[in-house]
Amino acid sequence: MKTTNNKAPNAVELEKELQTDFQKAMSYGDYLHLDKILSSQHRLSNHHDEMLFIVIHQASELWMKLILHEVTAAIQCIRANNLEPSFKMLSRVSRIQQQLIQSWSVLSTLTPAEYMEFRDKLGQSSGFQSYQNRLIEFALGNKNVHTLSVYQHDADLYQKMQTALHEPSIYDAAIHALMKRGLPVDQEVLQRDCSQPYEPNASVEDAWLTVYRNVDQYWDLYELAEKLVDIGNQQQMWRFSHMSTVERIIGNKQGTGGSSGVNYLKRALDQHFFPELWSLRTKL
């Protein structure tokens, strides 16, 4: 009687060169330091769903780290008048933002009753305190000196936040790129205090209008503008998804860090990025 061998033909031979001895070689886990990453999820309750809450927020912080890596490099390219490499970086940022937005839909599987089983274990900790998210907001131009008080307990971090507050945002860099191409921009904008919130300016809008009306002549600036619109729009979508998820889980309760919760998140939606890139659309 003929027997059937379900083994893939030549499977052993094909796998013969597979590395199996890592006594003196670096493995996948070694390279990624998985021992540290995967041992950093410590539930403070016995509730099953606290693991979801921890992993979502830790993974989000890793994605934010990559956003900062890309945006910082993009700003350097733009300030050096080397725009093209920044396009790939900003496209990547937009894709990362999509991942962050999607993460809220995973967290929304946490029901109000489930969250209340471990919410008290969070103490005064809150997503509002995420310094990486604050650094992203600063890098995109949403500067607010009052938010720094949250970090005063850590001298090194507080200094890092102070430095970031005073650095030009990616929009400041883009406006200087307009000037370098001969487009007139008011000196008060070019020499402004970068630690202050950006205020819309007519000369900046006119410069961007020139770019959009002469795309062939200013293709690189036009491409930069659209990349900025992409990430500004995605950041607003992230904010909205955050607010919607919080409302779904805790309603209008006060936030764990003392904020007004959903109401605070709703007000954040009124803070727009790159205002002239939106207002010019009405005038085209």
Side-chain angles (χ1 to χ4, degrees):
M1 183 176 186
K2 187 176 181 181
T3 60
T4 302
N5 186 351
N6 292 324
K7 208 187 245 187
N10 301 320
V12 175
E13 288 78 1
L14 289 173
E15 300 288 331
K16 189 163 54 176
E17 300 302 319
L18 188 69
Q19 178 74 31
T20 58
D21 183 2
F22 294 97
Q23 293 295 321
K24 297 181 180 180
M26 180 174 64
S27 70
Y28 172 82
D30 295 333
Y31 175 69
L32 295 176
H33 296 279
L34 291 181
D35 55 336
K36 296 178 181 178
I37 294 174
L38 298 180
S39 61
S40 296
Q41 295 72 46
H42 305 291
R43 288 183 294 165
L44 299 181
S45 75
N46 292 321
H47 197 276
H48 173 85
D49 291 324
E50 189 182 358
M51 182 62 74
L52 164 70
F53 192 83
I54 293 170
V55 169
I56 286 289
H57 287 85
Q58 287 184 341
S60 294
E61 290 293 335
L62 285 173
W63 283 124
M64 288 180 192
K65 182 173 184 176
L66 185 53
I67 286 178
L68 288 168
H69 177 72
E70 298 295 341
V71 170
T72 299
I75 291 173
Q76 292 172 351
C77 288
I78 296 166
R79 294 182 70 179
N81 204 30
N82 186 23
L83 302 188
E84 288 193 5
S86 74
F87 302 156
K88 176 65 175 292
M89 299 166 188
L90 296 178
S91 291
R92 184 174 292 159
V93 168
S94 182
R95 299 291 182 91
I96 298 166
Q97 289 172 310
Q98 291 172 21
Q99 293 291 326
L100 286 167
I101 292 166
Q102 180 61 26
S103 72
W104 292 119
S105 70
V106 180
L107 188 59
S108 69
T109 63
L110 180 68
T111 69
E114 291 163 347
Y115 182 49
M116 292 309 296
E117 290 291 326
F118 63 86
R119 187 181 191 233
D120 64 318
K121 299 295 184 181
L122 303 181
Q124 300 300 307
S125 65
S126 167
F128 173 81
Q129 299 151 14
S130 168
Y131 74 86
Q132 289 200 125
N133 183 53
R134 187 61 52 196
L135 287 173
I136 290 170
E137 293 274 329
F138 283 1
L140 299 186
N142 181 23
K143 303 292 185 73
N144 185 344
V145 67
H146 302 295
T147 60
L148 297 190
S149 61
V150 177
Y151 312 106
Q152 288 179 345
H153 66 285
D154 184 329
D156 291 340
L157 177 57
Y158 185 71
Q159 182 57 53
K160 180 177 182 176
M161 302 304 290
Q162 282 276 11
T163 300
L165 180 73
H166 288 85
E167 287 178 347
S169 71
I170 195 167
Y171 197 48
D172 291 315
I175 291 171
H176 277 261
L178 293 171
M179 177 271 294
K180 290 174 183 175
R181 291 292 291 277
L183 295 164
V185 176
D186 291 345
Q187 284 299 308
E188 64 187 64
V189 179
L190 297 172
Q191 298 175 3
R192 77 182 195 88
D193 180 354
C194 292
S195 70
Q196 297 300 309
Y198 178 81
E199 296 291 339
N201 178 272
S203 70
V204 175
E205 184 182 74
D206 288 342
W208 284 123
L209 276 168
T210 299
V211 169
Y212 274 73
R213 287 170 175 159
N214 300 274
V215 172
D216 291 341
Q217 182 179 354
Y218 299 106
W219 177 259
D220 54 348
L221 290 170
Y222 173 72
E223 181 78 2
L224 173 62
E226 286 299 293
K227 296 298 184 188
L228 293 179
V229 169
D230 283 343
I231 63 176
N233 186 57
Q234 294 283 12
Q235 192 70 3
Q236 285 290 77
M237 291 175 66
W238 181 87
R239 287 171 169 179
F240 178 81
S241 297
H242 183 189
M243 180 274 296
S244 180
T245 303
V246 170
E247 186 172 33
R248 175 173 177 162
I249 295 174
I250 68 168
N252 286 300
K253 290 186 180 72
Q254 186 180 50
T256 49
S259 75
S260 58
V262 168
N263 288 331
Y264 170 81
L265 296 174
K266 285 180 177 178
R267 289 197 302 273
L269 288 170
D270 294 330
Q271 300 165 354
H272 293 284
F273 302 97
F274 325 132
E276 292 88 355
L277 294 180
W278 294 97
S279 61
L280 71 81
R281 282 155 163 74
T282 304
K283 298 185 177 181
L284 277 175

